[in-house]
Protein backbone atom coordinates (compact mmCIF):
# COMPACT_ATOMS: atom_id res chain seq x y z
CA UNK A 1 0.00 0.00 0.00
CA UNK A 2 1.31 3.43 -0.95
CA UNK A 3 2.21 5.64 2.01
CA UNK A 4 -0.03 8.62 2.77
CA UNK A 5 1.88 11.82 2.07
CA UNK A 6 0.72 15.26 3.20
CA UNK A 7 2.23 18.35 1.63
CA UNK A 8 1.39 21.91 0.74
CA UNK A 9 1.76 24.52 -1.98
CA UNK A 10 4.24 27.39 -2.06
CA UNK A 11 3.29 30.34 -4.27
CA UNK A 12 5.26 33.13 -2.58
CA UNK A 13 8.81 33.25 -3.93
CA UNK A 14 10.55 33.97 -0.63
CA UNK A 15 12.88 31.41 1.00
CA UNK A 16 11.64 32.46 4.45
CA UNK A 17 8.17 31.19 3.56
CA UNK A 18 9.64 27.87 2.44
CA UNK A 19 11.75 27.67 5.60
CA UNK A 20 8.79 28.30 7.89
CA UNK A 21 6.63 25.72 6.12
CA UNK A 22 9.47 23.20 5.99
CA UNK A 23 9.66 23.30 9.77
CA UNK A 24 6.03 22.17 10.03
CA UNK A 25 6.67 18.46 9.37
CA UNK A 26 5.08 18.20 5.93
CA UNK A 27 6.12 15.17 3.90
CA UNK A 28 6.60 17.33 0.82
CA UNK A 29 6.21 20.90 -0.39
CA UNK A 30 5.52 22.00 -3.94
CA UNK A 31 6.86 25.17 -5.53
CA UNK A 32 4.18 26.40 -7.92
CA UNK A 33 5.56 27.74 -11.19
CA UNK A 34 2.27 27.49 -13.06
CA UNK A 35 0.14 29.98 -11.17
CA UNK A 36 2.76 32.22 -9.55
CA UNK A 37 5.46 34.67 -10.62
CA UNK A 38 8.26 32.43 -9.30
CA UNK A 39 11.14 32.22 -11.78
CA UNK A 40 13.85 29.56 -12.17
CA UNK A 41 16.41 31.21 -9.90
CA UNK A 42 13.84 31.72 -7.16
CA UNK A 43 12.62 28.15 -7.60
CA UNK A 44 16.14 26.82 -7.04
CA UNK A 45 16.43 28.85 -3.84
CA UNK A 46 13.11 27.49 -2.61
CA UNK A 47 14.08 23.91 -3.53
CA UNK A 48 17.37 24.24 -1.65
CA UNK A 49 15.64 25.69 1.40
CA UNK A 50 13.03 22.92 1.52
CA UNK A 51 15.61 20.16 1.08
CA UNK A 52 17.85 21.65 3.78
CA UNK A 53 15.10 20.71 6.23
CA UNK A 54 14.89 17.14 4.97
CA UNK A 55 11.61 17.67 3.12
CA UNK A 56 10.96 16.52 -0.45
CA UNK A 57 10.78 19.46 -2.86
CA UNK A 58 8.31 19.17 -5.72
CA UNK A 59 7.78 21.71 -8.47
CA UNK A 60 4.64 22.19 -10.52
CA UNK A 61 5.87 23.36 -13.88
CA UNK A 62 3.91 25.71 -16.11
CA UNK A 63 3.53 23.27 -18.98
CA UNK A 64 4.49 19.86 -20.29
CA UNK A 65 7.64 21.21 -21.87
CA UNK A 66 11.05 19.52 -22.11
CA UNK A 67 13.07 22.71 -21.53
CA UNK A 68 10.97 23.82 -18.57
CA UNK A 69 11.11 20.41 -16.88
CA UNK A 70 14.82 19.98 -17.57
CA UNK A 71 15.74 23.28 -15.93
CA UNK A 72 13.67 22.54 -12.82
CA UNK A 73 15.18 19.07 -12.48
CA UNK A 74 18.69 20.46 -12.88
CA UNK A 75 17.83 22.87 -10.07
CA UNK A 76 17.43 19.76 -7.90
CA UNK A 77 13.71 19.07 -7.64
CA UNK A 78 12.77 15.74 -6.03
CA UNK A 79 9.54 15.55 -7.98
CA UNK A 80 7.66 17.16 -10.84
CA UNK A 81 3.95 17.84 -11.15
CA UNK A 82 2.96 18.30 -14.79
CA UNK A 83 -0.32 20.05 -15.68
CA UNK A 84 -2.85 19.11 -18.35
CA UNK A 85 -1.74 15.56 -19.13
CA UNK A 86 -4.75 14.43 -21.11
CA UNK A 87 -3.51 11.34 -22.94
CA UNK A 88 -0.97 8.56 -22.94
CA UNK A 89 1.01 10.57 -25.48
CA UNK A 90 1.12 13.55 -23.10
CA UNK A 91 2.30 11.24 -20.32
CA UNK A 92 5.05 9.77 -22.50
CA UNK A 93 6.18 13.30 -23.33
CA UNK A 94 6.52 14.06 -19.62
CA UNK A 95 8.42 10.81 -19.03
CA UNK A 96 10.84 11.65 -21.82
CA UNK A 97 11.53 15.01 -20.16
CA UNK A 98 12.10 13.52 -16.69
CA UNK A 99 14.06 10.34 -17.39
CA UNK A 100 17.59 10.00 -18.71
CA UNK A 101 18.22 7.62 -21.63
CA UNK A 102 17.56 4.82 -22.27
CA UNK A 103 14.16 5.30 -20.60
CA UNK A 104 13.62 8.92 -21.60
CA UNK A 105 15.29 11.73 -23.48
CA UNK A 106 16.37 14.08 -20.70
CA UNK A 107 19.45 16.09 -21.60
CA UNK A 108 22.53 15.96 -19.40
CA UNK A 109 23.46 19.06 -17.45
CA UNK A 110 25.94 19.77 -14.66
CA UNK A 111 23.97 22.03 -12.36
CA UNK A 112 22.87 21.97 -8.72
CA UNK A 113 21.19 18.57 -8.97
CA UNK A 114 24.40 16.97 -10.21
CA UNK A 115 26.61 18.68 -7.62
CA UNK A 116 27.70 21.16 -10.29
CA UNK A 117 29.46 18.33 -12.09
CA UNK A 118 31.11 16.69 -9.09
CA UNK A 119 28.29 14.27 -8.26
CA UNK A 120 26.94 13.40 -11.70
CA UNK A 121 27.51 9.64 -11.58
CA UNK A 122 25.83 9.31 -8.20
CA UNK A 123 22.93 11.49 -9.34
CA UNK A 124 22.50 9.59 -12.61
CA UNK A 125 22.72 6.13 -11.04
CA UNK A 126 20.78 6.77 -7.84
CA UNK A 127 19.04 10.08 -7.25
CA UNK A 128 17.60 10.53 -10.75
CA UNK A 129 15.72 7.24 -10.46
CA UNK A 130 13.95 8.49 -7.34
CA UNK A 131 12.45 11.58 -8.99
CA UNK A 132 8.67 11.39 -8.71
CA UNK A 133 6.55 12.21 -11.74
CA UNK A 134 2.98 13.25 -10.95
CA UNK A 135 0.62 14.17 -13.77
CA UNK A 136 -2.41 16.38 -13.32
CA UNK A 137 -5.74 14.98 -14.42
CA UNK A 138 -7.74 18.13 -15.04
CA UNK A 139 -9.67 17.55 -18.24
CA UNK A 140 -12.50 15.19 -19.16
CA UNK A 141 -10.21 13.68 -21.82
CA UNK A 142 -7.66 12.85 -19.13
CA UNK A 143 -10.22 10.93 -17.10
CA UNK A 144 -11.36 9.05 -20.19
CA UNK A 145 -7.72 8.15 -20.95
CA UNK A 146 -6.72 7.45 -17.33
CA UNK A 147 -6.24 3.69 -17.71
CA UNK A 148 -3.69 4.23 -20.48
CA UNK A 149 -1.92 6.97 -18.55
CA UNK A 150 -1.61 4.85 -15.43
CA UNK A 151 -0.41 1.86 -17.44
CA UNK A 152 2.96 3.61 -17.76
CA UNK A 153 5.34 2.44 -15.03
CA UNK A 154 7.22 5.73 -14.97
CA UNK A 155 4.13 7.65 -13.87
CA UNK A 156 4.26 7.68 -10.05
CA UNK A 157 0.85 9.17 -9.53
CA UNK A 158 -1.90 11.53 -10.57
CA UNK A 159 -3.34 14.72 -9.18
CA UNK A 160 -6.98 15.53 -9.83
CA UNK A 161 -7.76 19.14 -10.78
CA UNK A 162 -11.47 19.74 -10.08
CA UNK A 163 -11.42 23.40 -11.17
CA UNK A 164 -10.20 22.80 -14.71
CA UNK A 165 -11.96 19.45 -14.92
CA UNK A 166 -15.33 21.07 -14.33
CA UNK A 167 -14.42 23.77 -16.84
CA UNK A 168 -13.61 21.18 -19.51
CA UNK A 169 -17.14 19.87 -19.01
CA UNK A 170 -18.65 23.30 -19.55
CA UNK A 171 -19.41 23.70 -15.86
CA UNK A 172 -16.54 25.75 -14.39
CA UNK A 173 -16.49 25.71 -10.59
CA UNK A 174 -19.59 23.53 -10.30
CA UNK A 175 -17.90 20.79 -8.26
CA UNK A 176 -21.13 19.46 -6.82
CA UNK A 177 -22.86 19.16 -10.17
CA UNK A 178 -23.93 15.54 -10.62
CA UNK A 179 -22.00 15.10 -13.87
CA UNK A 180 -18.80 16.52 -12.38
CA UNK A 181 -19.18 14.40 -9.24
CA UNK A 182 -19.65 11.29 -11.37
CA UNK A 183 -16.48 12.01 -13.35
CA UNK A 184 -14.46 12.53 -10.18
CA UNK A 185 -15.80 9.22 -8.84
CA UNK A 186 -14.74 7.59 -12.10
CA UNK A 187 -11.24 9.04 -11.60
CA UNK A 188 -11.11 7.70 -8.04
CA UNK A 189 -12.29 4.23 -9.04
CA UNK A 190 -9.67 3.88 -11.78
CA UNK A 191 -6.85 5.45 -9.74
CA UNK A 192 -7.43 3.12 -6.79
CA UNK A 193 -6.81 0.10 -9.01
CA UNK A 194 -3.15 1.10 -9.28
CA UNK A 195 -0.57 1.21 -6.50
CA UNK A 196 0.27 4.82 -7.21
CA UNK A 197 -0.16 8.21 -5.61
CA UNK A 198 -3.66 9.69 -5.81
CA UNK A 199 -3.53 13.43 -5.33
CA UNK A 200 -5.95 16.14 -4.28
CA UNK A 201 -5.51 19.78 -3.25
CA UNK A 202 -7.57 20.74 -0.21
CA UNK A 203 -7.70 24.53 -0.46
CA UNK A 204 -9.29 25.42 2.88
CA UNK A 205 -6.84 25.13 5.83
CA UNK A 206 -9.16 22.75 7.68
CA UNK A 207 -7.64 19.45 8.79
CA UNK A 208 -11.05 17.76 8.79
CA UNK A 209 -11.23 18.14 5.00
CA UNK A 210 -7.86 16.38 4.68
CA UNK A 211 -9.08 13.53 6.85
CA UNK A 212 -12.15 13.21 4.62
CA UNK A 213 -9.95 12.87 1.53
CA UNK A 214 -7.74 10.29 3.24
CA UNK A 215 -10.84 8.26 4.02
CA UNK A 216 -11.84 8.51 0.36
CA UNK A 217 -8.55 6.88 -0.66
CA UNK A 218 -6.40 9.87 -1.55
CA UNK A 219 -2.80 9.46 -0.39
CA UNK A 220 -0.98 12.49 -1.85
CA UNK A 221 -2.76 15.51 -0.43
CA UNK A 222 -1.78 19.15 -0.69
CA UNK A 223 -3.03 20.83 2.48
CA UNK A 224 -3.91 24.40 1.56
CA UNK A 225 -1.17 26.85 0.45
CA UNK A 226 1.04 29.57 1.89
CA UNK A 227 -1.20 32.54 1.07
CA UNK A 228 -4.35 30.83 2.34
CA UNK A 229 -2.74 29.79 5.62
CA UNK A 230 -1.53 33.37 6.12
CA UNK A 231 -4.75 35.07 5.13
CA UNK A 232 -7.00 32.72 7.08
CA UNK A 233 -5.30 33.16 10.43
CA UNK A 234 -5.11 36.94 10.01
CA UNK A 235 -8.77 37.27 9.08
CA UNK A 236 -9.85 34.92 11.86
CA UNK A 237 -7.87 36.53 14.66
CA UNK A 238 -8.35 40.14 13.54
CA UNK A 239 -12.05 39.52 13.11
CA UNK A 240 -12.29 38.41 16.74
CA UNK A 241 -10.42 41.53 17.91
CA UNK A 242 -12.73 43.82 15.97
CA UNK A 243 -15.78 42.22 17.61
CA UNK A 244 -14.66 43.46 21.03
Amino acid sequence: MTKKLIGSWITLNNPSIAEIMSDCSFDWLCVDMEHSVTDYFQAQQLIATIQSKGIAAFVRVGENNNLVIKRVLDAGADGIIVPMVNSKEDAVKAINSVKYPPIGMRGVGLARAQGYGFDFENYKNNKADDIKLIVQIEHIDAVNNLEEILSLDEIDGTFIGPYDLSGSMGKPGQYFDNDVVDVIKKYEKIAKKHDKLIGYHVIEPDYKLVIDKLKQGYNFIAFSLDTYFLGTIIRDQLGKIKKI
Side-chain angles (χ1 to χ4, degrees):
M1 178 63 69
T2 303
K3 179 184 177 183
K4 296 177 176 64
L5 302 172
I6 308 298
S8 190
W9 230 248
I10 294 179
T11 63
L12 301 175
N13 52 16
N14 189 309
S16 295
I17 296 292
E19 189 168 35
I20 291 169
M21 294 183 70
S22 296
D23 280 332
C24 293
S25 300
F26 284 108
D27 296 304
W28 57 274
L29 290 170
C30 181
V31 177
D32 187 12
M33 294 185 72
E34 183 183 19
H35 293 293
S36 79
V37 296
T38 300
D39 61 29
Y40 290 105
F41 177 71
Q42 293 164 338
Q44 178 166 298
Q45 291 181 307
L46 294 171
I47 291 168
T49 300
I50 294 167
Q51 291 174 337
S52 73
K53 299 291 187 174
I55 307 298
F58 281 72
V59 174
R60 177 167 71 173
V61 293
E63 61 178 321
N64 190 1
N65 178 290
N66 174 62
L67 177 59
V68 172
I69 293 173
K70 175 167 54 180
R71 294 183 73 176
V72 168
L73 289 177
D74 285 345
D78 297 304
I80 298 290
I81 299 177
V82 182
M84 280 294 173
V85 174
N86 298 334
S87 65
K88 184 177 181 179
E89 290 72 25
D90 288 344
V92 169
K93 182 179 180 182
I95 292 168
N96 283 335
S97 299
V98 170
K99 301 296 183 180
Y100 284 129
I103 297 175
M105 299 169 57
R106 179 183 171 187
V108 176
L110 300 176
R112 178 179 178 271
Q114 302 85 5
Y116 302 98
F118 298 99
D119 194 41
F120 174 70
E121 288 299 320
N122 179 45
Y123 178 79
K124 179 190 70 174
N125 296 327
N126 299 298
K127 297 179 182 179
D129 289 338
D130 292 332
I131 293 171
K132 300 300 181 186
L133 173 55
I134 310 296
V135 297
Q136 290 196 186
I137 305 300
E138 47 189 343
H139 194 282
I140 185 63
D141 290 345
V143 176
N144 291 334
N145 294 321
L146 189 57
E147 286 282 9
E148 288 189 336
I149 292 171
L150 288 173
S151 71
L152 299 168
D153 292 338
E154 295 80 12
I155 299 298
D156 295 292
T158 55
F159 205 98
I160 188 72
Y163 284 83
D164 287 318
L165 175 61
S166 62
S168 75
M169 298 173 64
K171 302 179 179 185
Q174 298 179 40
Y175 319 121
F176 299 106
D177 176 269
N178 289 335
D179 291 337
V180 177
V181 170
D182 286 344
V183 170
I184 293 177
K185 287 182 178 178
K186 178 180 178 181
Y187 161 78
E188 293 172 349
K189 182 178 180 180
I190 296 172
K192 289 175 184 177
K193 291 163 55 179
H194 300 262
D195 188 24
K196 298 190 178 189
L197 296 171
I198 308 174
Y200 195 97
H201 190 182
V202 173
I203 302 297
E204 296 289 339
D206 182 345
Y207 77 94
K208 295 187 292 295
L209 299 177
V210 174
I211 292 175
D212 287 342
K213 289 303 174 187
L214 289 171
K215 290 180 178 178
Q216 291 172 29
Y218 289 91
N219 54 26
F220 187 73
I221 298 178
F223 182 27
S224 200
L225 61 154
D226 49 9
T227 53
Y228 234 78
F229 277 125
L230 177 64
T232 299
I233 190 65
I234 292 173
R235 290 165 189 247
D236 176 66
Q237 297 299 305
L238 187 58
K240 291 175 181 177
I241 293 172
K242 290 189 173 183
K243 288 180 180 179
I244 298 176

